[in-house]
Amino acid sequence: MTQQQVFRIHQDDDGHRAGVEAVAIVQPTQGEVLVRVSASGVNYKDALAGTGKGKVIKRFPITGGIDAAGIVEQSEHPCWKPGDAVIATGFGMAFDHDGGYAETLCVPGDWLAPTPQGLDPRQAMILGTAGFTAGLAVHRLLVNGQHPGLGPILVTGASGGVGSIAINILAKLDFEVVAVSNKQALHDWLTQLGASRIIGRDELPGGDRPLEKAVWGGAVDNVGGAMLAQITRTLAPNGNIASIGLAGGTALETTVMPFILRGIGLLGCNSVDVPFPLRADLWRRLATDWRPSDLDALVSDQVDLDGLPAVFERMLAGKTHGRILVMPA
Ligand SMILES: NC(=O)c1ccc[n+]([C@@H]2O[C@H](COP(=O)([O-])OP(=O)(O)OC[C@H]3O[C@@H](n4cnc5c(N)ncnc54)[C@H](OP(=O)(O)O)[C@@H]3O)[C@@H](O)[C@H]2O)c1
């Protein structure tokens, strides 16, 4: 049986351990597709999974990597044929099914989206789950009536994968984007991506009354916790918050006042199981009118499978920025 190198995560009586090892290449059964992986990326969830610091995996051992892009090698699914360029994000990847940190990926064909024209697999993974989620957040905001006239949009966790891409898309759509970032050294980079202003995490205006002066038209929040609560108190009437992440905590202490007196919308964003038509449409938009102006400017690092543990530690310590690509050695 042919073997492949994968980044495997174990959790058993000996504790948590993860690293590169050889496993057999799985053959697709009915409904499944075997993809030759060209590129993958590092997302916050990958770092939680790979270090064991977050309980985000259901089945052990498992191959890590919540996203991948590549070319179909074998297909037992009616929608895909050998040679198709595809993107896999979310669903059971690196949760209860082997993920994309591998040479090949065998997944249900229903989990795949076509790689849109204009993106090669590497470019698709510069966007990856982070870019797809940023696109989902923008979609949710626009559907809920967000427009530049409501006021500036705040993007928290701005230097991260989701944050940096959200800044770029929103600036393209003529929003005034205010980035929240603690990374002074990246202010020029965030400005080049489209931020008109950058503020530190402890510089968010407003006190702790249920409603404070409205300063933001909307927000894309990657941080959660106290920062999200603060944003609910300072949003303009009818503004929306796309809630994506938990880098700063999972608790949310607020009141109903912003919702019932200012009509603000708290829009949950779950990139994991977006149904097919919307999934394909978001990828198409990310390759066309929402395409970041300079994809390579989003990349801060590139590693092979052996380089993953060090990157995971740096990411959880808040020492990474932008997108980190995972390419074959
Ligand atoms: N809902 C979904 O489907 C979905 C999909 C993808 C990601 N996510 C979540 O979205 C968040 C961002 O993901 P990502 O891949 O962009 O991660 P990332 O690249 O690590 O970015 C996270 C950013 O958050 C900021 N941050 C880190 N620790 C913080 C803290 N303790 N308090 C406040 N800010 C902090 C940092 O930005 P600054 O240094 O610039 O402040 C960091 O760059 C994560 O929580 C992730 O789990 C959710």
Side-chain angles (χ1 to χ4, degrees), residues 42-45 48 129-130 133 157-163 180-183 201 222-223 227 243-248 269-272 315 318 320-322:
V42 181
N43 299 279
Y44 197 82
K45 196 170 169 185
L48 291 174
T129 295
T133 308
S159 72
V162 179
V180 182
S181 176
N182 260 17
K183 298 194 180 87
R201 286 181 205 162
N222 295 300
V223 170
M227 196 177 287
S243 169
I244 293 176
L246 43 64
C269 296
N270 176 15
S271 64
V272 171
M315 179 171 264
T320 56
H321 72 276

PDB file of all heavy atoms in Angstrom, residues 42-45 48 129-130 133 157-163 180-183 201 222-223 227 243-248 269-272 315 318 320-322, ligand 1:
ATOM      1  N   VAL A  42      -2.002  27.822   7.595  1.00  0.00           N
ATOM      2  CA  VAL A  42      -2.088  27.716   9.054  1.00  0.00           C
ATOM      3  C   VAL A  42      -3.158  28.684   9.541  1.00  0.00           C
ATOM      4  O   VAL A  42      -3.077  29.887   9.297  1.00  0.00           O
ATOM      5  CB  VAL A  42      -0.744  28.032   9.738  1.00  0.00           C
ATOM      6  CG1 VAL A  42      -0.880  27.876  11.251  1.00  0.00           C
ATOM      7  CG2 VAL A  42       0.356  27.117   9.209  1.00  0.00           C
ATOM      8  N   ASN A  43      -4.159  28.138  10.207  1.00  0.00           N
ATOM      9  CA  ASN A  43      -5.222  28.922  10.818  1.00  0.00           C
ATOM     10  C   ASN A  43      -5.132  28.755  12.336  1.00  0.00           C
ATOM     11  O   ASN A  43      -4.543  27.791  12.833  1.00  0.00           O
ATOM     12  CB  ASN A  43      -6.592  28.428  10.318  1.00  0.00           C
ATOM     13  CG  ASN A  43      -6.725  28.571   8.815  1.00  0.00           C
ATOM     14  OD1 ASN A  43      -7.022  29.641   8.308  1.00  0.00           O
ATOM     15  ND2 ASN A  43      -6.464  27.493   8.084  1.00  0.00           N
ATOM     16  N   TYR A  44      -5.767  29.677  13.042  1.00  0.00           N
ATOM     17  CA  TYR A  44      -5.731  29.644  14.514  1.00  0.00           C
ATOM     18  C   TYR A  44      -6.170  28.273  15.042  1.00  0.00           C
ATOM     19  O   TYR A  44      -5.563  27.712  15.960  1.00  0.00           O
ATOM     20  CB  TYR A  44      -6.645  30.753  15.040  1.00  0.00           C
ATOM     21  CG  TYR A  44      -6.426  31.123  16.484  1.00  0.00           C
ATOM     22  CD1 TYR A  44      -5.403  31.995  16.855  1.00  0.00           C
ATOM     23  CD2 TYR A  44      -7.253  30.611  17.483  1.00  0.00           C
ATOM     24  CE1 TYR A  44      -5.205  32.338  18.176  1.00  0.00           C
ATOM     25  CE2 TYR A  44      -7.064  30.954  18.807  1.00  0.00           C
ATOM     26  CZ  TYR A  44      -6.040  31.824  19.155  1.00  0.00           C
ATOM     27  OH  TYR A  44      -5.848  32.164  20.466  1.00  0.00           O
ATOM     28  N   LYS A  45      -7.217  27.715  14.417  1.00  0.00           N
ATOM     29  CA  LYS A  45      -7.723  26.410  14.859  1.00  0.00           C
ATOM     30  C   LYS A  45      -6.683  25.302  14.652  1.00  0.00           C
ATOM     31  O   LYS A  45      -6.604  24.357  15.434  1.00  0.00           O
ATOM     32  CB  LYS A  45      -8.995  26.096  14.071  1.00  0.00           C
ATOM     33  CG  LYS A  45      -9.870  25.003  14.628  1.00  0.00           C
ATOM     34  CD  LYS A  45     -11.184  25.011  13.844  1.00  0.00           C
ATOM     35  CE  LYS A  45     -12.038  23.815  14.112  1.00  0.00           C
ATOM     36  NZ  LYS A  45     -13.233  23.822  13.236  1.00  0.00           N
ATOM     37  N   LEU A  48      -4.432  25.509  17.607  1.00  0.00           N
ATOM     38  CA  LEU A  48      -5.059  24.922  18.803  1.00  0.00           C
ATOM     39  C   LEU A  48      -4.995  23.399  18.722  1.00  0.00           C
ATOM     40  O   LEU A  48      -4.692  22.713  19.701  1.00  0.00           O
ATOM     41  CB  LEU A  48      -6.526  25.372  18.910  1.00  0.00           C
ATOM     42  CG  LEU A  48      -6.772  26.848  19.245  1.00  0.00           C
ATOM     43  CD1 LEU A  48      -8.261  27.166  19.157  1.00  0.00           C
ATOM     44  CD2 LEU A  48      -6.245  27.193  20.641  1.00  0.00           C
ATOM     45  N   THR A 129      -8.922  29.161   4.742  1.00  0.00           N
ATOM     46  CA  THR A 129     -10.095  29.307   5.615  1.00  0.00           C
ATOM     47  C   THR A 129     -10.214  30.751   6.118  1.00  0.00           C
ATOM     48  O   THR A 129     -11.317  31.283   6.239  1.00  0.00           O
ATOM     49  CB  THR A 129      -9.986  28.339   6.803  1.00  0.00           C
ATOM     50  OG1 THR A 129     -10.039  27.008   6.282  1.00  0.00           O
ATOM     51  CG2 THR A 129     -11.113  28.531   7.798  1.00  0.00           C
ATOM     52  N   ALA A 130      -9.063  31.385   6.371  1.00  0.00           N
ATOM     53  CA  ALA A 130      -9.100  32.766   6.868  1.00  0.00           C
ATOM     54  C   ALA A 130      -9.773  33.692   5.864  1.00  0.00           C
ATOM     55  O   ALA A 130     -10.661  34.484   6.213  1.00  0.00           O
ATOM     56  CB  ALA A 130      -7.673  33.247   7.164  1.00  0.00           C
ATOM     57  N   THR A 133     -13.453  32.930   5.454  1.00  0.00           N
ATOM     58  CA  THR A 133     -14.239  33.429   6.593  1.00  0.00           C
ATOM     59  C   THR A 133     -14.394  34.943   6.529  1.00  0.00           C
ATOM     60  O   THR A 133     -15.463  35.482   6.838  1.00  0.00           O
ATOM     61  CB  THR A 133     -13.557  33.007   7.909  1.00  0.00           C
ATOM     62  OG1 THR A 133     -13.329  31.596   7.858  1.00  0.00           O
ATOM     63  CG2 THR A 133     -14.437  33.329   9.106  1.00  0.00           C
ATOM     64  N   GLY A 157      -8.344  41.976  15.885  1.00  0.00           N
ATOM     65  CA  GLY A 157      -7.410  40.907  15.496  1.00  0.00           C
ATOM     66  C   GLY A 157      -6.884  41.212  14.102  1.00  0.00           C
ATOM     67  O   GLY A 157      -6.706  40.329  13.270  1.00  0.00           O
ATOM     68  N   ALA A 158      -6.634  42.518  13.865  1.00  0.00           N
ATOM     69  CA  ALA A 158      -6.434  43.015  12.499  1.00  0.00           C
ATOM     70  C   ALA A 158      -5.233  42.406  11.788  1.00  0.00           C
ATOM     71  O   ALA A 158      -5.256  42.214  10.576  1.00  0.00           O
ATOM     72  CB  ALA A 158      -6.291  44.536  12.537  1.00  0.00           C
ATOM     73  N   SER A 159      -4.179  42.093  12.525  1.00  0.00           N
ATOM     74  CA  SER A 159      -2.984  41.597  11.840  1.00  0.00           C
ATOM     75  C   SER A 159      -3.066  40.110  11.522  1.00  0.00           C
ATOM     76  O   SER A 159      -2.206  39.575  10.833  1.00  0.00           O
ATOM     77  CB  SER A 159      -1.739  41.849  12.709  1.00  0.00           C
ATOM     78  OG  SER A 159      -1.749  40.964  13.819  1.00  0.00           O
ATOM     79  N   GLY A 160      -4.110  39.436  12.021  1.00  0.00           N
ATOM     80  CA  GLY A 160      -4.232  37.998  11.792  1.00  0.00           C
ATOM     81  C   GLY A 160      -4.690  37.678  10.373  1.00  0.00           C
ATOM     82  O   GLY A 160      -4.930  38.577   9.561  1.00  0.00           O
ATOM     83  N   GLY A 161      -4.829  36.375  10.103  1.00  0.00           N
ATOM     84  CA  GLY A 161      -5.230  35.942   8.759  1.00  0.00           C
ATOM     85  C   GLY A 161      -6.593  36.498   8.378  1.00  0.00           C
ATOM     86  O   GLY A 161      -6.749  37.149   7.336  1.00  0.00           O
ATOM     87  N   VAL A 162      -7.601  36.267   9.224  1.00  0.00           N
ATOM     88  CA  VAL A 162      -8.955  36.742   8.913  1.00  0.00           C
ATOM     89  C   VAL A 162      -8.972  38.268   8.881  1.00  0.00           C
ATOM     90  O   VAL A 162      -9.509  38.884   7.945  1.00  0.00           O
ATOM     91  CB  VAL A 162      -9.978  36.221   9.957  1.00  0.00           C
ATOM     92  CG1 VAL A 162     -11.367  36.743   9.622  1.00  0.00           C
ATOM     93  CG2 VAL A 162      -9.980  34.699  10.019  1.00  0.00           C
ATOM     94  N   GLY A 163      -8.378  38.886   9.906  1.00  0.00           N
ATOM     95  CA  GLY A 163      -8.432  40.341  10.023  1.00  0.00           C
ATOM     96  C   GLY A 163      -7.798  41.037   8.828  1.00  0.00           C
ATOM     97  O   GLY A 163      -8.382  41.966   8.256  1.00  0.00           O
ATOM     98  N   VAL A 180      -7.900  47.256  14.732  1.00  0.00           N
ATOM     99  CA  VAL A 180      -7.450  47.144  16.123  1.00  0.00           C
ATOM    100  C   VAL A 180      -6.308  46.143  16.146  1.00  0.00           C
ATOM    101  O   VAL A 180      -6.507  44.960  15.831  1.00  0.00           O
ATOM    102  CB  VAL A 180      -8.575  46.649  17.052  1.00  0.00           C
ATOM    103  CG1 VAL A 180      -8.067  46.590  18.494  1.00  0.00           C
ATOM    104  CG2 VAL A 180      -9.790  47.540  16.949  1.00  0.00           C
ATOM    105  N   SER A 181      -5.126  46.629  16.474  1.00  0.00           N
ATOM    106  CA  SER A 181      -3.970  45.738  16.497  1.00  0.00           C
ATOM    107  C   SER A 181      -2.975  46.200  17.545  1.00  0.00           C
ATOM    108  O   SER A 181      -2.762  47.395  17.725  1.00  0.00           O
ATOM    109  CB  SER A 181      -3.279  45.708  15.130  1.00  0.00           C
ATOM    110  OG  SER A 181      -2.116  44.906  15.211  1.00  0.00           O
ATOM    111  N   ASN A 182      -2.348  45.252  18.193  1.00  0.00           N
ATOM    112  CA  ASN A 182      -1.317  45.589  19.173  1.00  0.00           C
ATOM    113  C   ASN A 182       0.073  45.568  18.559  1.00  0.00           C
ATOM    114  O   ASN A 182       1.055  45.710  19.271  1.00  0.00           O
ATOM    115  CB  ASN A 182      -1.378  44.615  20.348  1.00  0.00           C
ATOM    116  CG  ASN A 182      -2.109  45.231  21.525  1.00  0.00           C
ATOM    117  OD1 ASN A 182      -2.818  46.218  21.349  1.00  0.00           O
ATOM    118  ND2 ASN A 182      -1.945  44.676  22.714  1.00  0.00           N
ATOM    119  N   LYS A 183       0.153  45.356  17.239  1.00  0.00           N
ATOM    120  CA  LYS A 183       1.472  45.206  16.622  1.00  0.00           C
ATOM    121  C   LYS A 183       1.888  46.519  15.940  1.00  0.00           C
ATOM    122  O   LYS A 183       1.620  46.736  14.757  1.00  0.00           O
ATOM    123  CB  LYS A 183       1.452  44.048  15.627  1.00  0.00           C
ATOM    124  CG  LYS A 183       1.147  42.701  16.285  1.00  0.00           C
ATOM    125  CD  LYS A 183       1.449  41.534  15.366  1.00  0.00           C
ATOM    126  CE  LYS A 183       1.145  40.200  16.012  1.00  0.00           C
ATOM    127  NZ  LYS A 183      -0.229  39.750  15.849  1.00  0.00           N
ATOM    128  N   ARG A 201      -5.293  47.705  21.268  1.00  0.00           N
ATOM    129  CA  ARG A 201      -6.398  46.967  21.902  1.00  0.00           C
ATOM    130  C   ARG A 201      -6.998  47.718  23.083  1.00  0.00           C
ATOM    131  O   ARG A 201      -8.186  47.621  23.343  1.00  0.00           O
ATOM    132  CB  ARG A 201      -5.915  45.607  22.400  1.00  0.00           C
ATOM    133  CG  ARG A 201      -5.684  44.613  21.302  1.00  0.00           C
ATOM    134  CD  ARG A 201      -5.238  43.289  21.893  1.00  0.00           C
ATOM    135  NE  ARG A 201      -4.479  42.544  20.907  1.00  0.00           N
ATOM    136  CZ  ARG A 201      -3.676  41.530  21.185  1.00  0.00           C
ATOM    137  NH1 ARG A 201      -3.522  41.128  22.422  1.00  0.00           N
ATOM    138  NH2 ARG A 201      -3.034  40.908  20.233  1.00  0.00           N
ATOM    139  N   ASN A 222     -12.695  39.332  15.518  1.00  0.00           N
ATOM    140  CA  ASN A 222     -11.965  38.060  15.603  1.00  0.00           C
ATOM    141  C   ASN A 222     -11.534  37.728  17.015  1.00  0.00           C
ATOM    142  O   ASN A 222     -10.850  36.735  17.239  1.00  0.00           O
ATOM    143  CB  ASN A 222     -10.700  38.142  14.730  1.00  0.00           C
ATOM    144  CG  ASN A 222     -11.052  38.282  13.273  1.00  0.00           C
ATOM    145  OD1 ASN A 222     -11.714  37.409  12.734  1.00  0.00           O
ATOM    146  ND2 ASN A 222     -10.656  39.366  12.652  1.00  0.00           N
ATOM    147  N   VAL A 223     -11.927  38.565  17.965  1.00  0.00           N
ATOM    148  CA  VAL A 223     -11.340  38.479  19.303  1.00  0.00           C
ATOM    149  C   VAL A 223     -12.335  37.996  20.362  1.00  0.00           C
ATOM    150  O   VAL A 223     -11.986  37.220  21.253  1.00  0.00           O
ATOM    151  CB  VAL A 223     -10.747  39.863  19.683  1.00  0.00           C
ATOM    152  CG1 VAL A 223     -10.352  39.919  21.140  1.00  0.00           C
ATOM    153  CG2 VAL A 223      -9.527  40.151  18.805  1.00  0.00           C
ATOM    154  N   MET A 227     -13.661  42.626  24.391  1.00  0.00           N
ATOM    155  CA  MET A 227     -13.599  43.538  23.238  1.00  0.00           C
ATOM    156  C   MET A 227     -14.917  43.518  22.470  1.00  0.00           C
ATOM    157  O   MET A 227     -15.453  44.565  22.078  1.00  0.00           O
ATOM    158  CB  MET A 227     -12.433  43.156  22.326  1.00  0.00           C
ATOM    159  CG  MET A 227     -12.081  44.265  21.360  1.00  0.00           C
ATOM    160  SD  MET A 227     -10.669  43.885  20.337  1.00  0.00           S
ATOM    161  CE  MET A 227      -9.323  44.034  21.465  1.00  0.00           C
ATOM    162  N   SER A 243     -19.421  38.291  14.076  1.00  0.00           N
ATOM    163  CA  SER A 243     -18.667  37.632  15.151  1.00  0.00           C
ATOM    164  C   SER A 243     -18.012  36.373  14.617  1.00  0.00           C
ATOM    165  O   SER A 243     -18.691  35.427  14.214  1.00  0.00           O
ATOM    166  CB  SER A 243     -19.622  37.298  16.308  1.00  0.00           C
ATOM    167  OG  SER A 243     -18.990  36.451  17.226  1.00  0.00           O
ATOM    168  N   ILE A 244     -16.660  36.389  14.626  1.00  0.00           N
ATOM    169  CA  ILE A 244     -15.916  35.284  14.008  1.00  0.00           C
ATOM    170  C   ILE A 244     -15.103  34.495  15.019  1.00  0.00           C
ATOM    171  O   ILE A 244     -15.079  33.274  14.981  1.00  0.00           O
ATOM    172  CB  ILE A 244     -14.952  35.848  12.930  1.00  0.00           C
ATOM    173  CG1 ILE A 244     -15.763  36.419  11.771  1.00  0.00           C
ATOM    174  CG2 ILE A 244     -14.000  34.770  12.449  1.00  0.00           C
ATOM    175  CD1 ILE A 244     -14.912  37.075  10.707  1.00  0.00           C
ATOM    176  N   GLY A 245     -14.414  35.220  15.922  1.00  0.00           N
ATOM    177  CA  GLY A 245     -13.358  34.517  16.640  1.00  0.00           C
ATOM    178  C   GLY A 245     -13.365  34.694  18.138  1.00  0.00           C
ATOM    179  O   GLY A 245     -14.193  35.409  18.719  1.00  0.00           O
ATOM    180  N   LEU A 246     -12.388  34.042  18.747  1.00  0.00           N
ATOM    181  CA  LEU A 246     -12.300  33.968  20.208  1.00  0.00           C
ATOM    182  C   LEU A 246     -10.876  34.130  20.694  1.00  0.00           C
ATOM    183  O   LEU A 246     -10.542  33.686  21.799  1.00  0.00           O
ATOM    184  CB  LEU A 246     -12.892  32.621  20.668  1.00  0.00           C
ATOM    185  CG  LEU A 246     -12.529  31.363  19.866  1.00  0.00           C
ATOM    186  CD1 LEU A 246     -11.064  31.030  19.918  1.00  0.00           C
ATOM    187  CD2 LEU A 246     -13.367  30.190  20.283  1.00  0.00           C
ATOM    188  N   ALA A 247     -10.034  34.789  19.867  1.00  0.00           N
ATOM    189  CA  ALA A 247      -8.618  34.903  20.251  1.00  0.00           C
ATOM    190  C   ALA A 247      -8.463  35.582  21.610  1.00  0.00           C
ATOM    191  O   ALA A 247      -7.472  35.383  22.306  1.00  0.00           O
ATOM    192  CB  ALA A 247      -7.839  35.663  19.179  1.00  0.00           C
ATOM    193  N   GLY A 248      -9.467  36.383  22.028  1.00  0.00           N
ATOM    194  CA  GLY A 248      -9.368  37.079  23.318  1.00  0.00           C
ATOM    195  C   GLY A 248     -10.322  36.538  24.371  1.00  0.00           C
ATOM    196  O   GLY A 248     -10.411  37.111  25.462  1.00  0.00           O
ATOM    197  N   CYS A 269     -20.714  33.989  12.365  1.00  0.00           N
ATOM    198  CA  CYS A 269     -20.077  33.503  11.134  1.00  0.00           C
ATOM    199  C   CYS A 269     -19.466  32.138  11.396  1.00  0.00           C
ATOM    200  O   CYS A 269     -18.544  32.023  12.198  1.00  0.00           O
ATOM    201  CB  CYS A 269     -18.979  34.465  10.685  1.00  0.00           C
ATOM    202  SG  CYS A 269     -19.617  36.076  10.251  1.00  0.00           S
ATOM    203  N   ASN A 270     -19.973  31.132  10.739  1.00  0.00           N
ATOM    204  CA  ASN A 270     -19.433  29.778  10.872  1.00  0.00           C
ATOM    205  C   ASN A 270     -19.002  29.301   9.493  1.00  0.00           C
ATOM    206  O   ASN A 270     -19.842  28.994   8.643  1.00  0.00           O
ATOM    207  CB  ASN A 270     -20.504  28.847  11.457  1.00  0.00           C
ATOM    208  CG  ASN A 270     -20.020  27.415  11.508  1.00  0.00           C
ATOM    209  OD1 ASN A 270     -18.825  27.142  11.385  1.00  0.00           O
ATOM    210  ND2 ASN A 270     -20.948  26.475  11.672  1.00  0.00           N
ATOM    211  N   SER A 271     -17.691  29.254   9.301  1.00  0.00           N
ATOM    212  CA  SER A 271     -17.167  28.898   7.973  1.00  0.00           C
ATOM    213  C   SER A 271     -17.154  27.389   7.727  1.00  0.00           C
ATOM    214  O   SER A 271     -16.856  26.956   6.625  1.00  0.00           O
ATOM    215  CB  SER A 271     -15.734  29.422   7.849  1.00  0.00           C
ATOM    216  OG  SER A 271     -14.905  28.760   8.788  1.00  0.00           O
ATOM    217  N   VAL A 272     -17.472  26.609   8.750  1.00  0.00           N
ATOM    218  CA  VAL A 272     -17.199  25.169   8.671  1.00  0.00           C
ATOM    219  C   VAL A 272     -18.124  24.434   7.699  1.00  0.00           C
ATOM    220  O   VAL A 272     -17.670  23.589   6.934  1.00  0.00           O
ATOM    221  CB  VAL A 272     -17.280  24.529  10.081  1.00  0.00           C
ATOM    222  CG1 VAL A 272     -17.232  23.012  10.006  1.00  0.00           C
ATOM    223  CG2 VAL A 272     -16.114  25.034  10.917  1.00  0.00           C
ATOM    224  N   MET A 315       1.967  31.363  16.715  1.00  0.00           N
ATOM    225  CA  MET A 315       0.625  31.902  16.465  1.00  0.00           C
ATOM    226  C   MET A 315      -0.149  32.047  17.775  1.00  0.00           C
ATOM    227  O   MET A 315      -0.765  33.081  18.038  1.00  0.00           O
ATOM    228  CB  MET A 315      -0.136  30.989  15.493  1.00  0.00           C
ATOM    229  CG  MET A 315      -1.538  31.471  15.199  1.00  0.00           C
ATOM    230  SD  MET A 315      -2.333  30.541  13.876  1.00  0.00           S
ATOM    231  CE  MET A 315      -2.018  31.585  12.463  1.00  0.00           C
ATOM    232  N   GLY A 318       0.608  34.972  19.738  1.00  0.00           N
ATOM    233  CA  GLY A 318       0.283  36.255  19.106  1.00  0.00           C
ATOM    234  C   GLY A 318       1.464  36.845  18.353  1.00  0.00           C
ATOM    235  O   GLY A 318       1.530  38.046  18.137  1.00  0.00           O
ATOM    236  N   THR A 320       2.519  35.890  15.194  1.00  0.00           N
ATOM    237  CA  THR A 320       2.473  35.749  13.735  1.00  0.00           C
ATOM    238  C   THR A 320       1.603  36.869  13.173  1.00  0.00           C
ATOM    239  O   THR A 320       0.897  37.547  13.908  1.00  0.00           O
ATOM    240  CB  THR A 320       1.873  34.389  13.327  1.00  0.00           C
ATOM    241  OG1 THR A 320       0.575  34.266  13.943  1.00  0.00           O
ATOM    242  CG2 THR A 320       2.749  33.240  13.741  1.00  0.00           C
ATOM    243  N   HIS A 321       1.632  37.016  11.862  1.00  0.00           N
ATOM    244  CA  HIS A 321       0.676  37.922  11.228  1.00  0.00           C
ATOM    245  C   HIS A 321       0.381  37.425   9.826  1.00  0.00           C
ATOM    246  O   HIS A 321       1.137  36.619   9.259  1.00  0.00           O
ATOM    247  CB  HIS A 321       1.186  39.367  11.221  1.00  0.00           C
ATOM    248  CG  HIS A 321       2.316  39.619  10.273  1.00  0.00           C
ATOM    249  ND1 HIS A 321       3.627  39.361  10.596  1.00  0.00           N
ATOM    250  CD2 HIS A 321       2.327  40.111   9.014  1.00  0.00           C
ATOM    251  CE1 HIS A 321       4.403  39.686   9.584  1.00  0.00           C
ATOM    252  NE2 HIS A 321       3.640  40.131   8.591  1.00  0.00           N
ATOM    253  N   GLY A 322      -0.712  37.925   9.275  1.00  0.00           N
ATOM    254  CA  GLY A 322      -1.067  37.568   7.903  1.00  0.00           C
ATOM    255  C   GLY A 322      -1.250  36.073   7.750  1.00  0.00           C
ATOM    256  O   GLY A 322      -1.650  35.365   8.674  1.00  0.00           O
TER     257      GLY A 322
HETATM  258  N1  LIG B   1     -16.036  31.322  12.894  1.00  0.00           N
HETATM  259  C1  LIG B   1     -15.272  30.707  12.006  1.00  0.00           C
HETATM  260  O1  LIG B   1     -15.714  29.965  11.148  1.00  0.00           O
HETATM  261  C2  LIG B   1     -13.787  30.995  12.054  1.00  0.00           C
HETATM  262  C3  LIG B   1     -12.984  30.784  10.923  1.00  0.00           C
HETATM  263  C4  LIG B   1     -11.623  31.164  10.975  1.00  0.00           C
HETATM  264  C5  LIG B   1     -11.103  31.692  12.157  1.00  0.00           C
HETATM  265  N2  LIG B   1     -11.919  31.823  13.232  1.00  0.00           N
HETATM  266  C6  LIG B   1     -11.407  32.425  14.484  1.00  0.00           C
HETATM  267  O2  LIG B   1     -11.060  33.782  14.184  1.00  0.00           O
HETATM  268  C7  LIG B   1      -9.945  34.190  14.982  1.00  0.00           C
HETATM  269  C8  LIG B   1      -8.833  34.674  14.057  1.00  0.00           C
HETATM  270  O3  LIG B   1      -8.345  33.572  13.290  1.00  0.00           O
HETATM  271  P1  LIG B   1      -7.000  33.741  12.435  1.00  0.00           P
HETATM  272  O4  LIG B   1      -6.777  32.463  11.727  1.00  0.00           O
HETATM  273  O5  LIG B   1      -7.049  35.042  11.703  1.00  0.00           O
HETATM  274  O6  LIG B   1      -5.940  33.849  13.649  1.00  0.00           O
HETATM  275  P2  LIG B   1      -4.566  34.690  13.732  1.00  0.00           P
HETATM  276  O7  LIG B   1      -3.965  34.805  12.379  1.00  0.00           O
HETATM  277  O8  LIG B   1      -3.789  34.106  14.845  1.00  0.00           O
HETATM  278  O9  LIG B   1      -5.082  36.148  14.158  1.00  0.00           O
HETATM  279  C9  LIG B   1      -5.600  36.422  15.441  1.00  0.00           C
HETATM  280  C10 LIG B   1      -5.268  37.870  15.790  1.00  0.00           C
HETATM  281  O10 LIG B   1      -6.007  38.216  16.971  1.00  0.00           O
HETATM  282  C11 LIG B   1      -5.244  39.093  17.767  1.00  0.00           C
HETATM  283  N3  LIG B   1      -5.118  38.477  19.090  1.00  0.00           N
HETATM  284  C12 LIG B   1      -4.425  37.374  19.432  1.00  0.00           C
HETATM  285  N4  LIG B   1      -4.543  37.131  20.742  1.00  0.00           N
HETATM  286  C13 LIG B   1      -5.335  38.099  21.247  1.00  0.00           C
HETATM  287  C14 LIG B   1      -5.823  38.410  22.539  1.00  0.00           C
HETATM  288  N5  LIG B   1      -5.525  37.653  23.592  1.00  0.00           N
HETATM  289  N6  LIG B   1      -6.617  39.488  22.686  1.00  0.00           N
HETATM  290  C15 LIG B   1      -6.931  40.261  21.628  1.00  0.00           C
HETATM  291  N7  LIG B   1      -6.490  40.026  20.358  1.00  0.00           N
HETATM  292  C16 LIG B   1      -5.715  38.950  20.185  1.00  0.00           C
HETATM  293  C17 LIG B   1      -3.896  39.274  17.096  1.00  0.00           C
HETATM  294  O11 LIG B   1      -4.000  40.466  16.315  1.00  0.00           O
HETATM  295  P3  LIG B   1      -3.247  41.837  16.710  1.00  0.00           P
HETATM  296  O12 LIG B   1      -1.912  41.467  17.255  1.00  0.00           O
HETATM  297  O13 LIG B   1      -3.193  42.580  15.418  1.00  0.00           O
HETATM  298  O14 LIG B   1      -4.088  42.538  17.740  1.00  0.00           O
HETATM  299  C18 LIG B   1      -3.807  38.089  16.158  1.00  0.00           C
HETATM  300  O15 LIG B   1      -3.030  38.345  15.034  1.00  0.00           O
HETATM  301  C19 LIG B   1      -9.569  32.969  15.837  1.00  0.00           C
HETATM  302  O16 LIG B   1     -10.203  33.064  17.086  1.00  0.00           O
HETATM  303  C20 LIG B   1     -10.158  31.791  15.045  1.00  0.00           C
HETATM  304  O17 LIG B   1     -10.443  30.688  15.863  1.00  0.00           O
HETATM  305  C21 LIG B   1     -13.233  31.487  13.209  1.00  0.00           C
END
